[in-house]
Amino acid sequence: MEAIKDKKNLQVVINAGWCKSCGICIDLCPKGALGRDNRDKAVWQYPDKCIRCGLCELRCPDLAITLQEAEEEE
Amino acid sequence: MPVKRYLRQRFFPQLWCAGCGHGQIMASLIRAIEELGLQKNNVVVVSGIGCSSRMPGYLDFHTLHTLHGRALAFATGVKMGRPELNVIVPMGDGDASAIGGNHLIHAARRNINITAIVMNNNIYGMTGGQSSPTTPVAAKSTTAPLGNIDPAFDLVELAKGAGASFVARSTTYHSKEMQNMFVKAINHKGFSFVEVLTQCPTYYGRKNEGVSPTEMMKKFATTTTSIGSPKKKENPELIERGVFVDQERTEYASSYCEMINQMRKQK
């Protein structure tokens, strides 16, 4: 159970400056947690659906996605 | 995974087309190097010309961008001069098997400790979508608008036949598998050849399937199978993935060093 708790701390961070809107992360996300913003770039739209599997990070051809620890809340 | 540590970030966003598989291969290579814990200073990446050969520009190792097809020749020079370095050569399918075809077979024959990565997208992307030696029969390209009639090279069979001591194949859909193969290939003492099937949505995709990069990637899941899988018997058309050859043979740079030492003793 602890492993799952740890994973909840992870965040999908997308660097919009590097994203080329190819849609690979959105189409291959097993839970449909990613969407597009008004510029067609990928965004982490549904964090509740996300299981933090990291497939988007592995498959992003632009190296724009990172699965990282959430910054500490103020 | 701190991928960014290994990048020359001033060159980003990179110039590859949206959905191009070369970026995925670069990311897997970086993860493999991170997994192996190699020092940046001990890695040399050598490339020729083509889309694939843009990779050394983005990687923060020692890098060389050389002549078309001659990457393995330059890499051989680097390895002979500094055998302790890890030499990695990313090449395109045309760069490796057409323009540099002879360098490939002779590097494999010599069994020099270099990791050759061939990114096979079945077409010449940078120059405008001409047929390459790996374009399948009936596939369309700029130079074969009615369909290609040349039988395609099977690069894995070519490398096996030329005597490479490590031969493997993976695809951009199977990122983790690709990363594991890079790890094995870099660890291997001898010539290691890894073919990665990748998508060129701009030229190959547009002229043939006319589908999104994702659809092209998904096709790799359905048109390939692991070595020894029973699926291959049912459908012989499937392309096999995995490690085909992994054997120990005398390495070229080490036998060269041995010869130098013997000559020194004789003096």
Side-chain angles (χ1 to χ4, degrees), chain A residues 57 66-67, chain B residues 1-7 30-31 34:
Chain A
E57 185 189 5
T66 2
L67 196 62
Chain B
M1 176 67 70
V3 167
K4 284 185 183 163
R5 209 157 68 78
Y6 297 89
L7 297 176
I30 291 173
R31 291 191 183 98
E34 165 91 13

Side-chain angles (χ1 to χ4, degrees), chain A residues 15 17-28 54-68, chain B residues 1 3-4 7 9 12-14 16-20 23-24 26-27 30-31 173 175-176 199 213-214 217-218:
Chain A
N15 180 346
W18 288 12
C19 173
K20 295 204 199 88
S21 320
C22 66
I24 287 176
C25 56
I26 300 164
D27 296 344
L28 292 177
L55 277 177
C56 49
E57 185 189 5
L58 279 177
R59 286 178 175 155
C60 174
D62 296 317
L63 286 78
I65 304 181
T66 2
L67 196 62
Q68 62 186 44
Chain B
M1 176 67 70
V3 167
K4 284 185 183 163
L7 297 176
Q9 291 188 43
F12 274 74
Q14 22 92 333
W16 287 314
C17 305
C20 172
Q24 294 164 324
M26 181 165 81
I30 291 173
R31 291 191 183 98
Y173 186 84
S175 324
K176 270 281 169 196
Q199 69 276 12
T214 323
M217 275 179 75
K218 280 184 183 164

Side-chain angles (χ1 to χ4, degrees), chain B residues 129-192:
Chain B
Q130 292 84 357
S131 291
S132 83
T134 55
T135 307
V137 172
K140 287 176 185 155
S141 68
T142 315
T143 48
L146 304 175
N148 182 34
I149 54 169
D150 304 16
F153 252 145
D154 183 333
L155 295 179
V156 161
E157 291 298 326
L158 180 75
K160 271 159 87 176
S165 54
F166 183 94
V167 181
R169 184 193 276 135
S170 188
T171 81
T172 48
Y173 186 84
H174 306 89
S175 324
K176 270 281 169 196
E177 184 192 73
M178 176 173 29
Q179 183 185 332
N180 294 338
M181 272 173 202
F182 289 159
V183 169
K184 281 183 197 161
I186 295 170
N187 268 335
H188 179 75
K189 295 272 171 287
F191 188 74
S192 35

Side-chain angles (χ1 to χ4, degrees), chain B residues 43-236:
Chain B
V43 179
V44 185
V45 185
V46 188
S47 78
I49 296 293
C51 294
S52 60
S53 307
R54 300 200 69 90
M55 193 191 279
Y58 301 128
L59 292 173
D60 194 19
F61 302 115
H62 294 294
T63 58
L64 279 166
H65 194 171
T66 71
L67 306 178
H68 201 1
R70 314 296 176 233
L72 279 169
F74 280 83
T76 303
V78 172
K79 191 71 191 177
M80 296 287 274
R82 295 282 301 275
E84 73 279 11
L85 300 177
N86 293 288
V87 184
I88 300 168
V89 184
M91 295 178 285
D93 49 314
D95 196 42
S97 65
I99 299 97
N102 270 303
H103 294 297
L104 177 69
I105 57 176
H106 292 291
R109 174 175 65 94
R110 289 180 185 133
N111 198 32
I112 186 162
N113 193 359
I114 288 174
T115 307
I117 298 166
V118 177
M119 312 175 185
N120 181 0
N121 57 8
N122 306 111
I123 208 153
Y124 287 104
M126 183 175 271
T127 48
Q130 292 84 357
S131 291
S132 83
T134 55
T135 307
V137 172
K140 287 176 185 155
S141 68
T142 315
T143 48
L146 304 175
N148 182 34
I149 54 169
D150 304 16
F153 252 145
D154 183 333
L155 295 179
V156 161
E157 291 298 326
L158 180 75
K160 271 159 87 176
S165 54
F166 183 94
V167 181
R169 184 193 276 135
S170 188
T171 81
T172 48
Y173 186 84
H174 306 89
S175 324
K176 270 281 169 196
E177 184 192 73
M178 176 173 29
Q179 183 185 332
N180 294 338
M181 272 173 202
F182 289 159
V183 169
K184 281 183 197 161
I186 295 170
N187 268 335
H188 179 75
K189 295 272 171 287
F191 188 74
S192 35
F193 177 93
V194 186
E195 180 190 8
V196 184
L197 304 181
T198 170
Q199 69 276 12
C200 174
T202 304
Y203 282 106
Y204 192 81
R206 203 171 50 179
K207 290 209 182 294
N208 292 283
E209 289 120 3
V211 289
S212 69
T214 323
E215 293 302 317
M216 293 184 81
M217 275 179 75
K218 280 184 183 164
K219 246 185 128 182
F220 292 138
T222 52
T223 57
T224 65
T225 179
S226 311
I227 300 177
S229 158
K231 278 188 204 162
K232 176 82 178 167
K233 279 179 197 147
E234 288 165 26
N235 182 5

